[in-house]
Amino acid sequence: MTQAACAKKTDILIEGATIISPSSSGADERITVVDKGTIAIDGGKIVYAGRSPAPPEFHNALKRIDASGLIALPGFVNAHTHAAMTLLRGYADDMVLMEWLQEKIWPIEAHLDSEDVYYGAMLACIEMIRAGVTTFADQYFFMDDTARAVRDTGIRASLSRGLIATSPNSSRALRENIELCEAWDGEASGRITTMFGPHAPYTCPVDFLEKVMEAAEEHGVGMHIHLSETRGEVEESRARHGGMSPIELMDSIGLFEFRILAAHCVHVSPKDIEILSAKGVGVAHNPGSNMKIASGIAPVPAMLKAGVRVGLGTDGASSNNNLDLLEEARLAAFLHKLANDDPTVIPAGQALAMATLGGAKAMGMDFEIGSLEPGKKADIILLDMNKPHMYPKHDLTSHIIYSARASDVTTVIINGESVMEDGVLTGIDEQEVLRKAEEKAKALVAKA
Ligand code: NI
């Protein structure tokens, strides 16, 4: 072969990693493990992932990463959060949900400004990248500023403007969500996508939801909504809407004809589960938040059995209190074993699948992220196996869920770009973000 024929180079070649990934073709999301494998990345996408050596056409790479002693995983997907709430981390804990919201969170949120949200979201993006999260779904306000943080940090996100019909600025909020879709959908090399963010059925009456559906239809995007988080919310819905649960109500108005990402789904009936499965609704399960606020235990094993697309979310950092999705995967496995009095429930492989491909499915993005397979976006994380808690190496999938830590993540590649290498964030002044976030949070508390 002449030099000219070899000139085509792939962008990145990751060599020697133990590749662990769910497979989107398998109905049961079986985890595959390839020892000392190779991943080739070109044009932001995975072009090869499998045994070494890779086919000859991939040998010539602009950049090579020696990943021997490292595990390669698809990046974690945080399917539900409110990124800028990092500013309120530790501000109000150990309170009853409605008191926590009405006395602490809502009053202080009324003082938030655009720069607060930018630095809160920057802090969140940095924390997530360090924990191996490569995609998140967000619902908050000042979403232009969250979008700027996503653009500036290199992470991938689906953003929605939180809409509360009962608030006096609800029409303006809806307009802002429309503007968010128009300004940001597909931006940052396609890393940013958008949704509409009706907060919940109890804050958004049907006539308002109809307006949101109209706008979502017009912009061809989905919706991110909180559903059936608390028992009280379900009881109120049944009392007000002829016995219908929030999920039955949403189904009756045609909401589920759209691509829907539903956070929580804690208090759901067998009939609700049937609807979620039949309509392909994505569910973001937030075990940490649900436990901390004592909302209840979502029947996740039953949802998975019924074929519901279940991913994992951290929820906002003021109800968790971190954005560590690996911790959520472990909590999900532990919580449902305990709740079902059955240690075989949510085995390690299933927890890992929920943290990656499950989240991608819940967000309607499994055609492009969630597994390490040719054709998918190159969202890849590398974990260091050379840690005491990773020995002996009987079962690495088990180690990831039951023993690994977020701080084991050394390298993060998103959209084929290296955003963290050997523990160092590229292109971000991390210390400056930490300093500004602290400053903004302190000033905010002083105003409340
Ligand atoms: Ni939430």
Side-chain angles (χ1 to χ4, degrees):
M1 202 184 285
T2 63
Q3 277 304 106
C6 295
K8 171 75 182 105
K9 292 187 175 189
T10 48
D11 292 334
I12 303 176
L13 204 59
I14 301 171
E15 297 168 297
T18 302
I19 303 171
I20 303 181
S21 173
S23 148
S24 45
S25 53
D28 58 351
E29 294 178 354
R30 211 163 38 85
I31 300 292
T32 58
V33 180
V34 178
D35 197 28
K36 295 191 177 68
T38 297
I39 302 172
I41 300 169
D42 198 44
K45 288 188 174 176
I46 296 168
V47 290
Y48 178 81
R51 285 204 197 103
S52 297
E57 64 264 35
F58 302 126
H59 287 186
N60 224 344
L62 293 171
K63 178 177 175 158
R64 308 182 95 88
I65 296 175
D66 176 7
S68 43
L70 303 177
I71 295 170
L73 293 176
F76 298 125
V77 176
N78 184 356
H80 178 66
T81 191
H82 312 282
M85 287 188 91
T86 48
L87 293 187
L88 306 179
R89 184 187 349 248
Y91 168 66
D93 295 310
D94 310 322
M95 294 178 74
V96 174
L97 176 65
M98 285 327 279
E99 284 170 22
W100 175 72
L101 283 174
Q102 288 168 355
E103 292 170 21
K104 303 295 278 188
I105 300 299
W106 289 341
I108 201 165
E109 280 184 341
H111 296 284
L112 274 174
D113 66 23
S114 158
E115 283 296 283
D116 292 334
V117 169
Y118 177 73
Y119 283 104
M122 284 293 287
L123 180 61
C125 291
I126 287 176
E127 181 185 351
M128 286 193 274
I129 290 168
R130 285 207 164 279
V133 172
T134 53
T135 297
F136 69 101
D138 203 72
Q139 187 197 91
Y140 212 52
F141 36 94
F142 294 112
M143 291 309 289
D144 276 339
D145 302 289
T146 301
R148 285 199 292 136
V150 171
R151 181 195 63 197
D152 295 350
T153 53
I155 201 166
R156 187 186 303 285
S158 183
L159 308 177
S160 62
R161 204 298 186 190
L163 305 169
I164 295 185
T166 45
S167 94
N169 66 357
S170 65
S171 319
R172 201 182 71 207
L174 181 54
R175 211 165 51 241
E176 285 174 12
N177 205 148
I178 291 169
E179 286 162 9
L180 174 76
C181 296
E182 290 172 351
W184 287 99
D185 202 79
E187 285 301 303
S189 308
R191 285 185 287 107
I192 298 177
T193 50
T194 59
M195 290 193 269
F196 280 83
H199 170 260
Y202 66 93
T203 54
C204 296
V206 170
D207 58 339
F208 183 78
L209 285 170
E210 282 168 348
K211 284 187 214 159
V212 180
M213 286 193 279
E214 213 174 281
E217 171 101 67
E218 196 179 316
H219 290 84
V221 300
M223 283 173 262
H224 183 175
I225 187 168
H226 296 82
L227 284 182
S228 302
E229 180 175 2
T230 63
R231 183 172 285 114
E233 173 194 336
V234 177
E235 285 168 359
E236 190 192 291
S237 172
R238 290 199 190 278
R240 277 199 186 176
H241 301 285
M244 284 194 281
S245 71
I247 287 167
E248 290 169 57
L249 177 66
M250 293 302 100
D251 189 36
S252 77
I253 65 166
L255 193 90
F256 296 153
E257 306 311 316
F258 291 83
R259 183 161 50 77
I260 298 296
L261 172 61
H264 300 299
C265 299
V266 172
H267 298 277
V268 293
S269 67
K271 186 174 176 192
D272 288 336
I273 293 175
E274 237 173 73
I275 295 170
L276 294 172
S277 171
K279 293 296 167 77
V281 176
V283 171
H285 172 46
N286 303 265
S289 169
N290 294 163
M291 284 195 271
K292 183 163 182 273
I293 309 179
S295 300
I297 304 171
V300 168
M303 287 197 260
L304 289 169
K305 203 170 163 204
V308 178
R309 304 154 161 255
V310 185
L312 298 172
T314 59
D315 211 346
S318 58
S319 56
N320 187 302
N321 287 358
N322 61 40
L323 306 177
D324 178 352
L325 203 86
L326 186 55
E327 183 175 275
E328 295 305 313
R330 184 173 309 142
L331 288 177
F334 285 1
L335 174 62
H336 299 291
K337 289 175 199 306
L338 181 66
N340 291 276
D341 202 12
D342 180 359
T344 68
V345 164
I346 318 261
Q350 194 163 34
L352 180 58
M354 275 203 286
T356 53
L357 188 60
K361 284 184 173 176
M363 291 175 66
M365 295 176 73
D366 48 308
F367 64 97
E368 55 179 9
I369 59 164
S371 59
L372 301 180
E373 294 172 287
K376 287 212 173 175
K377 303 275 190 195
D379 289 7
I380 302 163
I381 62 174
L382 301 177
L383 273 77
D384 189 359
M385 286 194 274
N386 194 26
K387 297 282 183 76
H389 57 267
M390 298 297 269
Y391 282 85
K393 304 192 192 312
H394 291 309
D395 182 340
L396 292 176
T397 305
S398 158
H399 285 4
I400 292 163
I401 296 302
Y402 297 129
S403 187
R405 299 167 189 174
S407 55
D408 297 340
V409 175
T410 64
T411 294
V412 176
I413 294 168
I414 303 173
N415 222 26
E417 302 284 337
S418 204
V419 296
M420 184 168 88
E421 271 180 60
D422 294 328
V424 179
L425 293 162
T426 52
I428 304 167
D429 185 345
E430 187 176 5
Q431 286 306 314
E432 175 63 6
V433 173
L434 302 187
R435 192 186 66 74
K436 289 292 277 186
E438 181 74 17
E439 183 189 301
K440 294 281 172 197
K442 287 281 160 64
L444 191 61
V445 170
K447 282 184 220 165

